[in-house]
Amino acid sequence: MEVVSYLFFGVMTTLVNFIVYFFCRDLLQFQFVLANTLSWIASVLFAFVTNKKWVFHSKSETKLAWIIEAAKFIFYRGLSYLIDMASMFVCLKVLMTSDFSAKLFTQVLVVIANYFFSKLLIFNNNKK
């Protein structure tokens, strides 16, 4: 059931990411690095809440435990941001793919990496 809920909220997080990215790219005419960064921030905030509460059912006993968990989440999402940005760069600047194709490809990589980061390194100690 955990994988199913992760995939559901992963799709929802990806939607947040796509919506913010294309809003920034198409409507605000932001360059892809800024648009991708803003979409990453929005999706990380969304993912932290949904992963903590509904996917991994993590309960923080203290404020310090919550802060540590949030810091680990942000750190590992930062690593996936580097995967995302490097993949976007290669797709857009080297392979010359469309924004949509690049974003779709990078999000598949990011969702897989984030599941393992979350399962093994972030939400593994605070289940009740």
Side-chain angles (χ1 to χ4, degrees), residues 34-54:
L34 180 57
N36 204 43
T37 300
L38 294 173
S39 68
W40 176 81
I41 291 167
S43 61
V44 165
L45 294 173
F46 179 83
F48 179 72
V49 172
T50 59
N51 279 232
K52 180 173 179 51
K53 188 169 187 150
W54 293 299

Side-chain angles (χ1 to χ4, degrees), residues 91-104:
C91 288
L92 293 173
K93 301 297 182 184
V94 177
L95 301 175
M96 305 301 231
T97 65
S98 69
D99 267 1
F100 184 83
S101 296
K103 200 70 180 140
L104 187 61

Side-chain angles (χ1 to χ4, degrees), residues 13-14 16-18 21 32-44 76-93 97 99-114 117:
T13 300
T14 300
V16 168
N17 192 292
F18 266 71
Y21 179 80
F32 89 89
V33 173
L34 180 57
N36 204 43
T37 300
L38 294 173
S39 68
W40 176 81
I41 291 167
S43 61
V44 165
Y76 287 108
R77 290 301 198 227
L79 290 180
S80 67
Y81 170 76
L82 295 175
I83 293 167
D84 187 347
M85 194 58 73
S87 299
M88 285 292 288
F89 179 82
V90 169
C91 288
L92 293 173
K93 301 297 182 184
T97 65
D99 267 1
F100 184 83
S101 296
K103 200 70 180 140
L104 187 61
F105 173 73
T106 62
Q107 290 311 293
V108 169
L109 293 179
V110 165
V111 166
I112 292 168
N114 285 340
F117 291 155

